[in-house]
Structure formats: structure tokens, C-alpha cells
Amino acid sequence: MKYRFPLTVFLILSMVSVLGCKTTDVAPNSQHDVTFPYMETDHEWDKKYSDAPYVFLLADNITEVQEDFSYTENIHLVMKIQNEDGMKVGEFPLNYDNSREEIKDIQAFVLTADGRKIGYSSIQDRTTQQGFAVYSDNKVKIITFPNVLIGSIIDIRYKLHHLKPIIENEFFETYYFTSQYPIKYSRRIFIAPNNMPLTIKNSDTSIEPEIVHSDKTIRYTWQAAYKNKIENENFMPPFTELSEQVSISTVADWKRLSKYGWSLFEKNLKSSSELKEAVQKIKSEIKDKRDQVQAVLEYIQNNFRYVSLNIDYHNYEPHSTDRVFYNKYGDCKDQTVLAIEMLSEIGVVAYPALISTYSDLSLRENLTPMLNYFDHVILGIEFENKINYTDLLIKGYKFWEIPSAWSGTNALLLKPGGDSFHQLTFADMKDMTTYIRQKTFLNDDASASGVFSLTFDRSTTSQLRVLMKSMTDSENKRWLSMFAAKIIPGSVITETKAVNLNETYMNLEIQIQFKQKNWAELINDMLVFGVGMADREPAFSALTRQNPIVFRQSTATEIENEYLIPEGYEVVTLPEDLAVESDFAYYKKSYRSEGQRILEKVLSGYKRSYLPANRYQDIEKYYDNLIPLTRKRVAIRKKA
């Protein structure tokens, strides 16, 4: 499931989710009024975040669960606009699932910097899937505020009624106390029947609740003040693994979730004459069972359009397979359930598997059983006594080859009797390697000509192939020309071509023929050339680090350069072989001279790893040590 929102809207939606607000209209009762002085501005926290686009002065959520597991959220948000970028909050979205939820009692206004209180201009109710309104229950109420200027305060109260639970007779939710935005004061009140079995788990927080018992209910209250924002840094874990949070669930275990998830898919397995006819055609043309399975997957990939109907709004149920087959479009759930039905027609059993696109869920032992962690569905195929995992949205892989994007991730397999987490196998390292080859003919005037070749890793190949095949011939030529100019700047490009563009299971290669003046550096009577100094990753140039460093997948770049030097020249300097390695990265460089031919090879990359923030200095030391060692280059000169 991929997000398709403009960046500013996405950030706002994320914030609403962070605050436990799903989508609806409401006004808390007077008994829930907040007494914390969140409007005061003389605290150090206010000074610290005075330049933030906006800050949350208040994030208040009161959830009350009923005996039938329906529940209501009373939500109160107060935001202060502090610069022009923050004024975008003047269009505030509240998302909800129209089939299960409703928003009521919206009270919203702007308090201007000069003290005027102005109500909202309008509330629009829209579908989030434009063009697919009948196909999706995702809705959004957009509150439009007037006079949202620097210094304004936006105040929103509403009620979100969850008319029925996601899973019958179950409740689960997570409350966040820290976010990508500063939160001055937050309160979470949770009220449930006394006899409701609850598992409550803290993560990265020491906030303890006040617990109050009554004859019929139990009430938990968590409060937090002056919370710093989570800084956005490259190579950081997902927000959900960093935030101070409390998870509440009645779900006994992951097996229960697996069984429930399967029931949603099973009831939508409905064949049709057209579907059977399509499978029969495959069976008549292909006899090998393995090839039949692959042909079914390719049929779906080539004939069904992907439509993003995100499961992150708790839309876990796919549409029926007969409907998906007729429409010829669907999201990951729809295409997965269709594959399960079509594969059953050739006698192959398959199951859906839930994964996260932002986390490998390696900390699953610490997670409370709930569906909130998952935002994507892939396919698990039983074949030759093992489960083979594949993703219908990623082309270019056979079903027994794990897509690089999901290498080693953890998936919850959905089966009739229930199941648990399974760690997917690790992709072959060669599939995650980018290969660069260059053969250069060097002239004695420092000019050169040659052939450059870049073979993309498997994942990048899949994405680029989709992009390039969507373009016209003229657009492809223009794209290749721009690519070549960026890769070999200052050169005259004589030819550029894409190799294997139409070969689904082969890596895409870009070949460039070039000529360039002053290709080598002329120093006195020597020509100097070769791969330059290693680069420090820009993300690791900061002086400090707040968050852990995560390399979710191993990566590699392999460079092989062949230099043909002019007749009458000899090698003056050939750098020594080099090998620098740590538990998170590596860099290897070697040289060989054979007459007029010099071979240079460089292999570098990151290892799959998780480093706490206090190991940032180890990354700095790695580069501080590596960069000086890679300064030396090849030097040649004419023989005396």
C-alpha cells in the first residue's frame, strides 16, 4: 500500500493518527475539560519550538468502550500557527471509514492573534479515493478555517463513533505521546467495562496511568507535558518504533488475528466463468505446474491495474474475486485474494500475509497483538513443501524469489486455523548489488573515450522498468540523455541505450559511449586518474544524532574499471589494495597492472544492521578513517 497524498496533507494525516484521532465530529463533556495551562507561553519548551511551523498545545483523547466493543473517542486538539508553512493547517482533514464510523459534534474555531474567535468556514465530506467512491468506504471531512495567520490558534473538538469493532468482540488501539511535531500537553483517558480482559503495554515511555475503579468500569488516565518532537533523520527507524506510546488490546494472541484475517479473505473467494476460463487457457498452454503458477501471477500483474485503497485506515477486507476480476483493478488485498482464487483453480494453495512497508517488525516479541502494525498484503504460496512469498505489486521476480524490498522482513501469515509471524528469507546479495563497468581508452593529451555500463539492482530495475515502459520513445530518449549527462558530466555522449528493458526477469542496464577532453588530470608530466575519494553519506555529516541508525537491507555497489593507457607510457603510482570494514559497512579497493592495461575494482556497501544513537560516533570514525585512505589515484607518464 503506497501513500499518494501531497506531502503537507500526509504530514497532517500522520499527526491526526499520532494523536489517536481517526476521523469524526465531536465535543467533549464539561467533566473532561483540561486544567493544564497549555495556553501559557513562558516555558522553555515554548522558546525551544518558537520556529516550528506549528505546535500542538493540546492533544486530548477520551475513549470509552462499551460492552459490545463499540466505542467513542472524544477528541480535542489545539494548535498554534507559528510561521507561513504552518498556515497550511487551515485545511484540516479528519479521515474515517464510512462503513464503521461516524464523526459527530464538530466544534472548531480560530483564535486570532488579536483575540478574535472565528468559527470554521466550511466542512466538506469527500471520498479519499477520487474516481473509486463506490469501491471504497474511506471518507474525509475537511474543515476549512478562515484567518489562519501567524500567531493564530486552531481549536478542534469532535466525537468519533466507532459503531462496530474491526474484529468482533475485540478492541485494540495505540496512544502516542510523542510525534514529528512538538506536543505541549497530551492526555489519554481510556474507560472500559470492568470485566473486559485488557493487555496494556508501554513502549519507550515511563508514563504510568492513574487508575480509577467504579462499580461497572475501569478508567486509565495518562498525562504528558512538554514533549519534544521526534527529529526527522535519514536511516532512522519508523516513527511508530520511536514514539512514547501505550498499546491496549483485548486480542489474546497473533493466532487469533491470523484466523480473523483469513476469514475476511475466505468469504470473498468467489469464482466466475470468466475467471475459470482465463485459468483454463493458462493450463491448456502451459503444462509444468511451477510455470502455471508463475503464469497466473503474470496474468494478474499484466492485466489488473493497481488502485491504492489503504489498509492503514483499517480497511482489511478485500473485495470479492469475481468483482475484482470484472473490474480489472484493485489494491494489494484485492490482487492477493484474486491470486488465491486463481491458483486454487490449478490445485495450488496460497494464503495472504500481512507485512509493514516501514518496519521489518523484528521487535514483534514486544508488540501487542493488533492489526495496526500492517499496511501491506503479500502472497504466500504453498509449493514443494514450503511457503514461497511474493508481492504482486513488484514485477520482475519469480514467485520463489523473495523481492529485495522484503528481504528478511517478518510477515503474519493468515490461515484458517490461525498462524503466527514468519521471517521471510533473505534475498540473494547479487540482487541487491548495483554493478558499474567502464572501459576507458586514455590518450596522451589527457582526453579519453570509452563505454560506461550501469546495471541496476533488482529492486531499482523493477521500478525503473515500470517508469520507462510508461514513457513514449521520445520521452525515453530524453530521459536517457539526461541520465547520461548526469552520470558522466562534461562528456560528449555518442550513444546511450537501455539493455533488457523488455526482459522481465533480467536486470536493467544502461550503456553509455562517451568522449571527454581533460578526462585525466595533468600534473607536471603525469596523467592522474581513477576512482576518487570515498564519499561521506550526507546523512552522516551532522554533528549530533538523536535517533538510532537503521540499515534495513544490505546494499552493495561493485565498480570495475579497465583503463587502457597510451603506448609508451608506464605506471608511476598504483595505490595499494585497501580493505576497511565494520559491523555496519565495508569498502574494498584493489588494483592490477598488466602491460598497457590497468584494472581497478571497488566494492562498497552497508550491512543490514541496527545501531543505537550513541554509536553515531562509530559511523563518523568509519568515514574519518576511510576517506584519507582513498585519496591516492593511479599516475602514469611517458617513458624516458
Side-chain angles (χ1 to χ4, degrees):
M1 306 307 236
K2 309 298 182 200
Y3 295 105
R4 291 292 183 266
F5 306 107
L7 179 59
T8 54
V9 175
F10 169 69
L11 290 175
I12 294 172
L13 290 177
S14 300
M15 192 61 212
V16 174
S17 175
V18 163
L19 298 173
C21 326
K22 296 296 186 217
T23 67
T24 125
D25 324 335
V26 16
N29 299 326
S30 59
Q31 63 178 328
H32 299 317
D33 285 345
V34 173
T35 59
F36 183 85
Y38 59 85
M39 294 293 284
E40 294 183 2
T41 60
D42 59 350
H43 194 275
E44 284 299 317
W45 184 93
D46 299 283
K47 298 174 185 177
K48 180 177 181 178
Y49 291 111
S50 60
D51 60 348
Y54 63 90
V55 295
F56 277 81
L57 300 179
L58 173 66
D60 191 42
N61 181 298
I62 302 164
T63 300
E64 186 162 4
V65 184
Q66 305 302 319
E67 293 279 358
D68 63 358
F69 290 87
S70 65
Y71 62 102
T72 297
E73 293 182 75
N74 286 269
I75 297 161
H76 186 189
L77 304 176
V78 181
M79 293 157 283
K80 183 179 181 181
I81 311 306
Q82 301 192 138
N83 62 34
E84 188 173 340
D85 190 40
M87 291 163 58
K88 297 171 184 176
V89 183
E91 298 282 328
F92 200 89
L94 305 176
N95 291 79
Y96 66 106
D97 181 342
N98 192 47
S99 67
R100 298 185 305 102
E101 301 168 338
E102 62 180 13
I103 296 177
K104 295 289 186 181
D105 304 334
I106 296 177
Q107 297 180 5
F109 63 87
V110 174
L111 184 64
T112 64
D114 58 6
R116 291 176 297 140
K117 182 177 179 180
I118 305 173
Y120 60 83
S121 300
S122 64
I123 298 178
Q124 302 174 65
D125 208 358
R126 301 177 181 174
T127 176
T128 60
Q129 307 295 334
Q130 298 298 327
F132 299 92
V134 177
Y135 202 61
S136 171
D137 292 314
N138 291 342
K139 303 277 283 186
V140 59
K141 289 183 184 292
I142 299 177
I143 307 175
T144 300
F145 294 92
N147 289 277
V148 177
L149 303 173
I150 296 173
S152 298
I153 291 175
I154 292 178
D155 191 302
I156 304 172
R157 301 176 186 229
Y158 64 96
K159 290 181 181 178
L160 175 56
H161 295 286
H162 302 260
L163 305 177
K164 57 182 179 180
I166 298 169
I167 303 177
E168 186 177 3
N169 298 326
E170 299 286 9
F171 172 88
F172 50 85
E173 191 54 273
T174 298
Y175 298 128
Y176 298 96
F177 298 98
T178 50
S179 161
Q180 301 99 320
Y181 291 91
I183 305 176
K184 190 170 188 177
Y185 177 69
S186 61
R187 182 180 67 168
R188 303 291 183 268
I189 297 177
F190 178 77
I191 305 167
N194 263 327
N195 59 353
M196 186 171 285
L198 297 172
T199 297
I200 299 178
K201 184 176 291 187
N202 287 6
S203 178
D204 297 315
T205 184
S206 58
I207 302 171
E208 293 295 334
E210 174 191 358
I211 304 174
V212 177
H213 294 269
S214 68
D215 291 341
K216 295 184 178 180
T217 65
I218 184 169
R219 173 183 173 131
Y220 298 83
T221 302
W222 293 268
Q223 299 184 75
Y226 305 114
K227 286 298 179 180
N228 295 325
K229 74 172 185 176
I230 298 174
E231 296 292 341
N232 187 28
E233 297 174 313
N234 290 328
F235 299 101
M236 65 185 282
F239 155 75
T240 52
E241 292 181 7
L242 295 174
S243 174
E244 294 185 50
Q245 59 193 271
V246 172
S247 298
I248 304 174
S249 179
T250 63
V251 182
D253 51 36
W254 294 107
K255 186 175 182 179
R256 161 75 167 134
L257 283 183
S258 170
K259 186 175 181 179
Y260 164 75
W262 169 254
S263 71
L264 297 181
F265 279 76
E266 183 180 38
K267 71 180 184 179
N268 285 292
L269 294 170
K270 300 177 182 178
S271 193
S272 66
S273 57
E274 293 83 1
L275 184 152
K276 290 178 178 292
E277 183 180 335
V279 177
Q280 185 57 45
K281 186 174 186 297
I282 291 172
K283 291 171 66 177
S284 65
E285 294 175 353
I286 302 172
K287 300 306 178 185
D288 181 78
K289 183 71 75 176
R290 177 183 289 263
D291 293 339
Q292 286 179 352
V293 172
Q294 189 63 38
V296 167
L297 303 183
E298 290 177 5
Y299 177 85
I300 296 173
Q301 290 176 327
N302 295 332
N303 293 282
F304 289 78
R305 184 163 36 104
Y306 171 67
V307 176
S308 177
L309 305 172
N310 296 335
I311 67 175
D312 50 316
Y313 293 144
H314 292 166
N315 296 319
Y316 300 101
E317 183 175 345
H319 296 88
S320 64
T321 51
D322 55 346
R323 186 179 179 189
V324 176
F325 193 89
Y326 176 80
N327 287 331
K328 294 295 186 291
Y329 63 73
D331 66 358
C332 62
K333 304 184 301 293
D334 299 328
Q335 295 195 26
T336 297
V337 75
L338 177 61
I340 293 170
E341 178 62 32
M342 294 183 72
L343 289 172
S344 72
E345 295 286 342
I346 62 173
V348 172
V349 176
Y351 305 103
L354 301 181
I355 65 170
S356 168
T357 61
Y358 53 84
S359 171
D360 63 9
L361 300 177
S362 58
L363 304 176
R364 61 187 185 276
E365 294 84 2
N366 301 324
L367 301 179
T368 305
M370 61 177 68
L371 291 171
N372 301 27
Y373 307 112
F374 309 104
D375 65 343
H376 189 42
V377 182
I378 60 174
L379 185 66
I381 303 171
E382 277 193 2
F383 196 84
E384 295 181 348
N385 300 316
K386 64 177 288 190
I387 299 289
N388 300 269
Y389 292 93
T390 191
D391 189 337
L392 283 155
L393 302 188
I394 303 179
K395 296 182 178 181
Y397 291 88
K398 301 289 190 179
F399 74 85
W400 58 89
E401 298 174 319
I402 191 71
S404 305
W406 313 134
S407 174
T409 199
N410 290 275
L412 180 64
L413 194 63
L414 309 183
K415 298 181 71 172
D419 209 300
S420 59
F421 275 103
H422 296 260
Q423 184 176 32
L424 278 57
T425 57
F426 289 93
D428 193 313
M429 196 60 217
K430 65 180 176 52
D431 289 339
M432 297 187 284
T433 301
T434 298
Y435 297 92
I436 296 174
R437 305 284 186 266
Q438 183 168 317
K439 187 173 185 177
T440 306
F441 298 85
L442 181 60
N443 302 314
D444 55 9
D445 63 355
S447 66
S449 61
V451 178
F452 172 93
S453 166
L454 190 155
T455 303
F456 295 98
D457 64 85
R458 201 89 176 266
S459 180
T460 305
T461 288
S462 178
Q463 298 173 56
L464 272 181
R465 181 172 282 126
V466 171
L467 170 67
M468 295 183 70
K469 295 188 78 170
S470 70
M471 296 190 291
T472 63
D473 288 344
S474 60
E475 289 172 335
N476 260 317
K477 288 179 181 178
R478 187 161 57 250
W479 184 88
L480 286 170
S481 177
M482 292 171 60
F483 179 84
K486 186 174 182 178
I487 290 293
I488 315 179
S491 296
V492 175
I493 306 300
T494 56
E495 184 182 3
T496 306
K497 63 180 179 179
V499 181
N500 298 330
L501 180 59
N502 296 311
E503 300 296 329
T504 304
Y505 300 105
M506 296 184 68
N507 288 33
L508 180 64
E509 178 185 355
I510 305 294
Q511 294 181 357
I512 304 169
Q513 293 187 23
F514 68 93
K515 294 180 179 179
Q516 185 174 341
K517 295 180 179 180
N518 302 315
W519 180 86
E521 187 177 359
L522 182 60
I523 302 177
N524 297 324
D525 61 342
M526 295 187 296
L527 296 177
V528 180
F529 55 89
V531 174
M533 287 192 299
D535 292 326
R536 183 188 297 268
E537 176 72 43
F540 304 132
S541 298
L543 296 177
T544 60
R545 178 83 182 189
Q546 183 188 86
N547 301 304
I549 302 99
V550 179
F551 301 111
R552 277 193 67 182
Q553 304 296 352
S554 298
T555 61
T557 300
E558 183 178 298
I559 302 173
E560 288 188 2
N561 290 322
E562 179 182 1
Y563 306 110
L564 299 173
I565 64 177
E567 289 291 336
Y569 275 71
E570 63 181 354
V571 175
V572 177
T573 302
L574 195 67
E576 297 177 353
D577 290 353
L578 170 66
V580 177
E581 189 165 0
S582 72
D583 58 334
F584 56 83
Y586 56 93
Y587 188 98
K588 301 176 182 179
K589 199 174 189 180
S590 63
Y591 293 88
R592 193 167 78 250
S593 177
E594 301 174 347
Q596 303 305 113
R597 183 169 170 260
I598 298 172
L599 300 177
E600 177 184 48
K601 186 173 182 178
V602 180
L603 179 64
S604 62
Y606 291 115
K607 302 175 183 179
R608 179 186 172 100
S609 52
Y610 185 104
L611 309 176
N614 61 14
R615 286 205 58 198
Y616 181 64
Q617 59 185 352
D618 294 337
I619 296 180
E620 292 182 302
K621 289 178 182 178
Y622 172 82
Y623 280 107
D624 289 343
N625 178 40
L626 173 64
I627 291 173
L629 296 175
T630 59
R631 286 190 179 129
K632 292 183 179 180
R633 293 185 293 162
V634 179
I636 63 172
R637 69 182 169 197
K638 188 173 290 188
K639 296 177 182 178

